[in-house]
Amino acid sequence: MQPKQLLVPLVALAVTVAMTPLATAAAAATTRYEAEAATITQGVAESNHAGYSGTGFVNYDNVAGSSVQWSVTAAAAGSATLTIRFSNGTTTNRPMDIAVNGTTVAAASAFNGTGNWDTWQSKTITAALNAGTNTIRATATTANGGPNVDWLEVAQATDGPAVPFGSHRFPYAAGTLRPSGTQAAVDQAVVTYYNKWKAAFVKQNCGNGWYQVISPDADHPYVAEAQGYGMVVVATMAGADPNAKTIFDGMVKYMLAHPSVNNADLLAAEQDASCRSVNGSDSATDGDLDVAFGLLLADRQWGSAGTYNYKQLAVKHINAIKASEVNPTTHLLLLGDWSTPGDNLYWTTRPSDFMIDHFRAFKAATGDTAWDTIRTAHQNLITNLQNQYASSTGLLPDFVVNTNTTPKPAPGQVLEDPNDGKYFWNACRTPWRVGADAITSGNAASLASARKMNTWIKAKTGGNPNNIAVGYSLGGTAISSGSEPAFFAPFAVAALTDPASQAWLDALWTKMVNTSFTSTDYYSTSIQLQTMIVASGNYWVP
């Protein structure tokens, strides 16, 4: 299987659809309760670490029995999703018992290390609530006490999503930029672009209740990458799109109907015009990463008690990725489940697949610390590649070889074309992927990597996005002239990380908003849409 993207040039045909105003989501029964306003036993409210909401967070005393107890109100009796936002700057799990109305619903639930005290993650638990007032208590079970706790969110299933687009429920790292203008105008620009993208590329061409994203400029009409993009985008746009859940479930149905021949819990990478899996029916890692992430988003948005148990499907997909798409020696991603020992690409990886924030979500969903090891291996490789091969630019190559010895950019064509070792049609996504982790986690390594790319491209172009070329050598020499969203849009996410880049970010945002696309330009359009979601402040990690 060859996961190659063949891009076509823009043509004059523009996609036009009626502009749809930002929809008001059906009221989702989600309420946030700040920890510092709750009842604190053997702990203290503090504000000496970055990234919290409200006025602070609770620092548990280092003693078993320290706790935070919230009083919450439920409109009706029934199942609810309880989400606790926490940080743990140690490497030691700080488990807590979660009790509802005095009954423990999650004993010794793990709250593992988050890397540092400024990095926050979310823990999700499902429990039954009574109508009216309920108490929810998080109690440390070891002498280390609990983690720092920012808030509790309580969501009960309704017709609306828990995190509607435009709600901005998950703040980015301190100092992150946003495009200038009102938040409503920025959000509306994303919705307008989404509606055009959806009209052009979200299809029901093969019946069966399936929804799929079509990819006219790829080497097959339907590819796993596109389905992954679609699942992440549609789940994130819930609230702006009243049909999001219906579309998402149709995408899940399509995914389940097209398993990889090597691991049935992964998605077959390519389908023909009749939606039949072809070209080996094996997997492509990038698509699977986004499919799993999209399922986690859906679980948070709508819960898992409907037609599909999103959480269960996500965990199965995550475990399958680890089993079949991660090299057990290097802990680096393989290109697909078809790459096995003895394969000539077994020691090859692709930096555009390095979705660091996804790895964090997978760890949170499964509790599997292997994802910390996997995440660290990829971050270390990014840093080493930048230092050794792109010290002035920070650019990453399309493919990396020799991962078992001394990893280096591909010396020439290893899979797709002679530019496999350069910043080209795959690696163009890396400023977005690295930057997304930087702004959602505040991680120092991701911030440094994203800022390095941003500093170089801003200087290289003189602050003019029109000067961003179509590909570069790692030293910064342009490969082709022209202007493609796949190349200029991702730099907007890197720009978010630099407080001195407001004018540069605004120039990139303006260029994105004013760039039209065609009905055959799936790849660039899908990348730009996702970078606009991130830049607008609407991206979040489940």
Side-chain angles (χ1 to χ4, degrees), residues 60 119 122 129 132 157 170 231-232 274 301 331 357 391 475 484 493 499:
Y60 280 63
T119 299
S122 296
L129 298 183
F170 294 89
M231 291 174 72
V232 172
S274 299
Q301 289 285 42
H331 308 295
D357 57 352
S391 59
E484 275 284 350
V493 180

Side-chain angles (χ1 to χ4, degrees), residues 149-167:
V149 172
D150 187 17
W151 46 249
L152 166 74
E153 282 191 344
V154 179
Q156 284 190 288
T158 69
D159 290 336
V163 189
F165 179 88
S167 62

Side-chain angles (χ1 to χ4, degrees), residues 143-204:
N144 292 319
N148 288 349
V149 172
D150 187 17
W151 46 249
L152 166 74
E153 282 191 344
V154 179
Q156 284 190 288
T158 69
D159 290 336
V163 189
F165 179 88
S167 62
H168 304 280
R169 301 185 67 88
F170 294 89
Y172 289 167
T176 300
L177 298 179
R178 298 275 179 88
S180 296
T182 67
Q183 186 66 67
V186 170
D187 288 349
Q188 184 60 59
V190 180
V191 174
T192 299
Y193 198 85
Y194 165 75
N195 286 332
K196 294 177 180 179
W197 171 87
K198 176 183 167 185
F201 304 113
V202 177
K203 302 297 181 182
Q204 287 185 284

Side-chain angles (χ1 to χ4, degrees), residues 373-390:
T373 302
I374 293 165
R375 174 179 55 80
T376 300
H378 288 86
Q379 289 189 283
N380 288 344
L381 181 54
I382 290 170
T383 299
N384 291 339
L385 288 168
Q386 287 184 318
N387 290 342
Q388 295 179 40
Y389 298 100

Side-chain angles (χ1 to χ4, degrees), residues 124 145 210 308 313 430:
T124 300
W210 297 340
Y308 297 106
L313 290 172
T430 57

